[in-house]
Amino acid sequence: MPVYDFTCLKCNKNFTLTLSLKEYGKDKLKCPSCGSGKVEQKPAAFFAVTSRKS
Ligand SMILES: [Zn+2]
């Protein structure tokens, strides 16, 4: 299953969640630290890999 990186906008903590597409579509993403639903998904890790070709 894919792993998603999130940042909590309330307590500023980073966390990862492993979600199926089914779960991902639901609006129940919560910060495991403070329980806030104000979380922001970060780009997947493989996007961060620097591979400049040009
Ligand atoms: Zn939080």
Side-chain angles (χ1 to χ4, degrees):
M1 275 195 286
V3 178
Y4 300 92
D5 286 310
F6 294 91
T7 301
C8 176
L9 300 179
K10 195 174 179 184
C11 67
N12 240 7
K13 284 212 172 189
N14 297 321
F15 58 98
T16 56
L17 292 176
T18 306
L19 302 169
S20 68
L21 281 180
K22 211 174 175 183
E23 289 173 310
Y24 183 67
K26 289 182 184 175
D27 188 24
K28 64 168 189 176
L29 300 175
K30 282 198 296 184
C31 170
S33 183
C34 71
S36 169
K38 287 220 163 207
V39 298
E40 186 177 76
Q41 189 185 352
K42 303 207 300 182
F46 54 82
F47 284 132
V49 176
T50 46
S51 58
R52 294 172 187 272
K53 288 177 182 173
S54 58

